[in-house]
Amino acid sequence: MRRKTNQRNAIQEVFQQKDQPMGVSEILQIGRQSVQSLNQATVYRNLKLLVAKGWLRTISTPELGMLYERAGKEHHHHFQCRLCDHLFELPGCALNDEQPIPPGFVVERHEVFLFGICSSCRE
Ligand SMILES: [Zn+2]
Ligand SMILES: [Zn+2]
């Protein structure tokens, strides 16, 4: 079972090294630098496990599909760069409690995505 543990560690290291939302292919690409035996199936399996353990959370993005980020962060929004397709964290929340909600509705959560061009792509 040692090999499985190594694969999971490699995925956790990817997120420690690069603390931003990532999709499977990027996680695979970076993780392979330390554990060459990683493949799409093992990455999927370990990501699922890390989500179940509460170490990662999933973000369903409108355009990039499912991405993963470290769980337990404060509520924040995301910015998607349309040139490099990276998702960036936007700290804080600009939505206020004044948001009009129909009577009788209860809001449980929200997600906000902004779209544009990131600073490195603008250079
Ligand atoms: Zn960019
Ligand atoms: Zn918010």
Side-chain angles (χ1 to χ4, degrees), residues 81 83-84 88 118 121:
C81 173
L83 295 181
C84 65
F88 299 88
C118 77
C121 288

Side-chain angles (χ1 to χ4, degrees), residues 35-69:
V35 176
Q36 284 200 320
S37 64
L38 277 184
N39 59 50
Q40 196 145 313
T42 56
V43 169
Y44 267 118
R45 201 167 50 233
N46 283 294
L47 286 173
K48 220 176 144 188
L49 221 137
L50 288 166
V51 170
K53 289 176 93 167
W55 199 84
L56 286 177
R57 68 180 279 262
T58 54
I59 314 165
S60 337
T61 71
E63 292 178 6
L64 303 173
M66 185 89 93
L67 299 185
Y68 297 82
E69 75 177 353

Side-chain angles (χ1 to χ4, degrees), residues 99-106:
Q99 177 72 26
I101 310 292
F105 282 54
V106 176

